[in-house]
Amino acid sequence: MTDVITVAIVILYCLVMIGIGGWASKKVKNTEDYLVAGRSLGFWVFVLLMVGTVCSGMSLLGVSGLGYTFGWPSIWEQLFVPLSIAFCIIFFGVKLHSITKETGYITVQDYLAHRYESPLALRTLSAVTGIIVSMVYLVGQYTAIAIVLMWLFEIPLWLALIIATLVVTIYTTIGGLYAVAWAALIQSLILIGGVLIMAPIIIFYAGGFVHVNEYMASVDPNLVQPWMPGGMVFTPSYLVSFGVLLMIGLACAPHVINNIMAVKDAKLFKWAPLVGFLIYGVVMFLLKFAGFAGIALVQEGVFSLPDVPNAQDFVILYGIQNAIPHIALWSIFAVIVLAAVMSTTDRLMLTIGAMFSWDIYKKILRPDAPDKQVLMVSKIVVILSALTTMILALNPPEMLAFLIWMGIGIMLSTFAVPLLAGLYWRRATGLGAIVSMSAGLVAAGIFGLYYQYVEKLPLHFSFYAVLVSLIAMILVSLITKPSSEKVLDDTKTGWFIRSPSK
Amino acid sequence: MSLICWNMLGLPTETIMVVGGAVILITILLVLWALFYGSDY
């Protein structure tokens, strides 16, 4: 289905991204410039970086797919995911940024090591966990890029992966967070504009919003309910655990929370939660409605989905293909998906680079390493992480979707309790955090495997794991010696979001 | 019961009320956050 205009549009997009990398590389003078963009991000760059980081390609395809499968009961995903941006800024960002202004943190591991007085154990544990989870996530992102490029150009998987990896790696490696943030600005604008145009076209093509809803109700009345009346998913209790997973799990993911360290001025935290929530909310709702439209289109025989295990993820691609009968416009949609995927992929690669070069290499292995060496290690790790995940994506594991959900579940189970307890509970101790993080990690693995291979659970598996992590934190903290008052004061620990005025 | 209570969007009233209510509530809370966040940084 390739034509000259399609190729030209995709090449133009890739060149713009690489151009941003080239421009950004001139601004990178040291590790701080590279990893936190010299702490220079203003309102719109920060908000759209958050939107771009949270909105991945898999979620873009998967949102419509989930809407196609479960109908309105899955609509809560559209509230919880955008809400993760607001949650991250309000409950983590305001206080972390305030401490960072005085301490100069580069990564969230800097905070954990400082707050819990555990420069070695907790830093290593959280960095290694963060790297593993980010790698799992990256494989999923590269697979999504490959799906789109293969669909559009009918090229083999290996070629699609090499093209995608090359473009992201070039601009991320040379430009660091400057490039990632400014690329996210462009990518998010493409994503927002594209979805605002494309999704309504699919919905109108299916007969309009009202027709789609009425059609869904005629197929199965449960599809238009706010939740499922029975079963194992999207019941009210399941939705509570799903909400915790998405809202807090994504908010404390290293590649999301590290954006906070790059903010120029705390004043932008005033409106950023609302603006981030609304922008991303509109995009997510429209994508979900496009998935609903897919139900009517498929049931009415307009098109049928491919005979593959994740057929529902193709619903938006096929919807576009049928609703917009011009090949050049499909390529614009391909660019939208590429933008969504790349805006997460680049941030993940940079986060892996930061966690290795800063937390493991600089802070543990070679404390006396000069800045230039740390910067070089960051760049090498960014390239290595891209190559490794590209090779893994060549043969994507069959349980890829499970691994991605597992990834978010592990983020929630390992990072949420140590971060929230660290920021708000003065009695939380270093050993409490280490045990809490380890217990959450192990419990996420056990409950996740149980959910996948033994039997379904009434709540999302990560909810049980985060409860284990919470109990471990409380019990161990209460029986161990409290952290020093000086550290607690320096890290502004207490039941407040903003420091009380002195 | 709510299934027979259709409205202009082709949805049960319960769905409109619950989902719409949640969106409005969250938006109001975030506006309140912005208004009371202060600007003395």
Side-chain angles (χ1 to χ4, degrees), chain A residues 209-486:
Chain A
F209 187 65
V210 177
H211 171 74
V212 167
N213 286 329
E214 287 172 348
Y215 193 89
M216 286 163 70
S218 70
V219 172
D220 179 357
N222 286 333
L223 291 177
V224 291
Q225 293 299 311
W227 41 68
M228 288 290 181
M232 297 305 282
V233 291
F234 299 116
T235 57
S237 57
Y238 181 89
L239 283 169
V240 171
S241 62
F242 194 58
V244 170
L245 169 73
L246 291 179
M247 191 175 70
I248 307 178
L250 277 173
C252 65
H255 68 290
V256 177
I257 201 167
N258 276 353
N259 291 335
I260 296 296
M261 318 298 176
V263 167
K264 184 180 180 182
D265 189 342
K267 277 181 190 161
L268 61 82
F269 293 141
K270 193 176 168 72
W271 289 101
L274 178 69
V275 175
F277 170 75
L278 289 179
I279 289 177
Y280 195 25
V282 169
V283 169
M284 291 284 275
F285 265 89
L286 282 173
L287 284 169
K288 186 68 92 186
F289 294 159
F292 296 164
I295 297 176
L297 291 169
V298 171
Q299 296 272 341
E300 288 172 344
V302 176
F303 61 82
S304 53
L305 294 176
D307 185 22
V308 292
N310 63 333
Q312 72 279 3
D313 292 340
F314 285 79
V315 73
I316 193 154
L317 296 177
Y318 281 51
I320 293 277
Q321 208 166 325
N322 282 274
I324 307 172
H326 196 289
I327 193 170
L329 293 174
W330 304 346
S331 60
I332 294 176
F333 181 74
V335 168
I336 296 167
V337 181
L338 284 179
V341 179
M342 287 185 178
S343 65
T344 307
T345 311
D346 53 13
R347 191 66 186 98
L348 278 164
M349 285 160 51
L350 194 65
T351 305
I352 292 171
M355 286 189 287
F356 185 85
S357 66
W358 186 257
D359 291 306
I360 294 179
Y361 187 77
K362 168 76 179 169
K363 294 290 182 176
I364 296 171
L365 298 178
R366 292 283 305 275
D368 55 345
D371 191 70
K372 278 193 172 174
Q373 201 175 63
V374 178
L375 183 59
M376 185 53 68
V377 171
S378 298
K379 293 184 176 188
I380 291 170
V381 174
V382 166
I383 295 170
L384 285 178
S385 68
L387 288 176
T388 311
T389 44
M390 186 192 79
I391 291 165
L392 289 173
L394 275 173
N395 290 301
E398 283 182 17
M399 45 190 229
L400 182 65
F402 166 70
L403 282 176
I404 289 172
W405 280 110
M406 190 74 160
I408 306 179
I410 291 175
M411 286 175 195
L412 173 71
S413 320
T414 51
F415 288 102
V417 173
L419 273 170
L420 285 170
L423 288 165
Y424 296 101
W425 190 36
R426 289 177 78 88
R427 194 61 186 80
T429 67
L431 194 59
I434 291 169
V435 175
S436 165
M437 196 174 263
S438 312
L441 182 63
V442 173
I446 292 172
F447 283 108
L449 291 171
Y450 186 86
Y451 178 86
Q452 184 71 8
Y453 295 110
V454 183
E455 64 172 331
K456 301 298 177 206
L457 298 161
L459 302 175
H460 194 276
F461 73 83
S462 62
F463 196 77
Y464 303 96
V466 84
L467 281 181
V468 170
S469 170
L470 179 65
I471 292 166
M473 169 63 88
I474 294 171
L475 290 181
V476 177
S477 290
L478 289 178
I479 58 171
T480 47
K481 193 168 160 257
S483 305
S484 79
E485 285 297 314
K486 182 178 183 319

Side-chain angles (χ1 to χ4, degrees), chain B:
Chain B
M1 184 187 74
S2 61
L3 275 177
I4 55 171
C5 189
W6 299 96
N7 58 36
M8 288 170 65
L9 294 175
L11 286 168
T13 305
E14 188 184 31
T15 304
I16 297 282
M17 295 291 285
V18 173
V19 178
V23 173
I24 292 168
L25 178 68
I26 292 168
T27 306
I28 290 172
L29 287 174
L30 293 177
V31 169
L32 288 175
W33 159 265
L35 293 177
F36 291 98
Y37 174 71
S39 57
D40 54 332
Y41 269 100

